[in-house]
Amino acid sequence: MEPGLNVKYLNRFKVAPGSKVKLKDIDPGFKGHHDDRKDAAEEVEHDQEKLRTLQELLYADGQCSLLICLQGIDTGGKDGTINHILGSMNPQGCRVVGFKEPSKEELAHDFLWRIHQPAPAKGSVAIFNRSQYEDVLVVRVHNLVPKAIWSARYDQINAFEKELVAGGTHILKFYLHISKEEQLSRFKERLDDPAKQWKISEADYKERKFWDDYTEAYEEVLSRCSTDTAPWFVIPSDHKWFRNLAIARIVVEYLEGLDLKLPPPSVNLDHIRQEYHAAVKDE
């Protein structure tokens, strides 16, 4: 096995529960021992194969589920990450859920109402593109509800995630950490590439003006809501290929730690063999 395949990222990027996160101290351009995408290609392919195998075990085992939450500043790479992770899995056991501005019906309920239903069933994987954390991020930055309301939500989210975990859901949460310079570069890429122009939004540059406010809001989320059972990971994401590699590796490491196994056959194999041989004889 190549040395790089032994590199562990599960603890390397995990936010230790109770720690105080300062994003300025974390290099968004970190790329490990690799020089570029080509140099990492073998590891990427290896991890994709492992993901396919482990997801099949999770599906067959049917005893637990996996929830992956993706958060990040605009252009952080949530869609790209989803394509990479989902592309490595059987769609039969995986779904993607996007959370945008809440509907009137959703606003008529508590803020977690719209989150609970799409949580993954046992044996399946759900990837949240944005998540329950929007209600302590955009809501906070734009003063959509009083501070007394959003500030109480950290504990409510922790309790909600604890409930999911108690029901058999494993939770991995990823913050896609990019620099302000990289975001501007990706805005230019969207402008110059006709295939990406559909992603352009008037809100992109308006939201960029709140960069520092979002940074502060994310730091509090990461500091207050990374727990032993539902950890946050800060993933350096200026290099898209490294972002994909790191997240895939973390999911692989985590699932390997569950020691998933194929369930025993639900039928009498000796009887089924007799049925098979009888069928062959009748041909």
Side-chain angles (χ1 to χ4, degrees), residues 105-120:
E105 182 183 16
E106 290 168 343
L107 287 171
H109 294 79
D110 70 273
F111 78 101
L112 289 169
W113 180 79
R114 68 174 183 157
I115 307 295
H116 208 152
Q117 185 174 358

Side-chain angles (χ1 to χ4, degrees), residues 85-122:
I85 299 296
L86 188 60
S88 303
M89 294 183 174
N90 184 339
Q92 184 175 349
C94 185
R95 65 182 299 208
V96 176
V97 183
F99 293 98
K100 298 182 179 180
E101 185 176 344
S103 66
K104 288 184 179 180
E105 182 183 16
E106 290 168 343
L107 287 171
H109 294 79
D110 70 273
F111 78 101
L112 289 169
W113 180 79
R114 68 174 183 157
I115 307 295
H116 208 152
Q117 185 174 358
K122 290 181 179 179

Side-chain angles (χ1 to χ4, degrees), residues 18-20 150-152 154-155 158 219-227 232:
S19 63
K20 297 297 182 181
W150 62 253
S151 63
Y154 301 101
D155 290 339
N158 286 340
E219 287 176 342
E220 186 156 10
V221 161
L222 297 166
S223 299
R224 295 186 61 177
C225 296
S226 188
T227 63
W232 270 105

Side-chain angles (χ1 to χ4, degrees), residues 137-145 206-207 210 213-214:
L137 291 166
V138 64
V139 165
R140 166 180 171 163
V141 169
H142 291 289
N143 299 308
L144 299 181
V145 299
K206 293 179 181 178
E207 290 296 284
F210 295 95
D213 294 323
Y214 273 110

Side-chain angles (χ1 to χ4, degrees), residues 42 59 63 77 113 119 136 142 147 163 210 254 268 279-280:
E42 182 179 350
Y59 182 80
Q63 299 301 306
W113 180 79
V136 287
H142 291 289
K147 181 178 180 180
E163 178 184 350
F210 295 95
Y254 187 86
N268 184 317
V280 171

Side-chain angles (χ1 to χ4, degrees), residues 10-11 13-21 133 154-155 157-158 161 171-175 218-234:
L10 187 62
N11 292 321
F13 298 117
K14 182 188 293 185
V15 176
S19 63
K20 297 297 182 181
V21 175
Y133 289 95
Y154 301 101
D155 290 339
I157 290 173
N158 286 340
E161 292 176 353
I171 304 174
L172 301 175
K173 302 173 294 191
F174 298 96
Y175 172 67
Y218 269 113
E219 287 176 342
E220 186 156 10
V221 161
L222 297 166
S223 299
R224 295 186 61 177
C225 296
S226 188
T227 63
D228 289 325
T229 54
W232 270 105
F233 301 85
V234 178

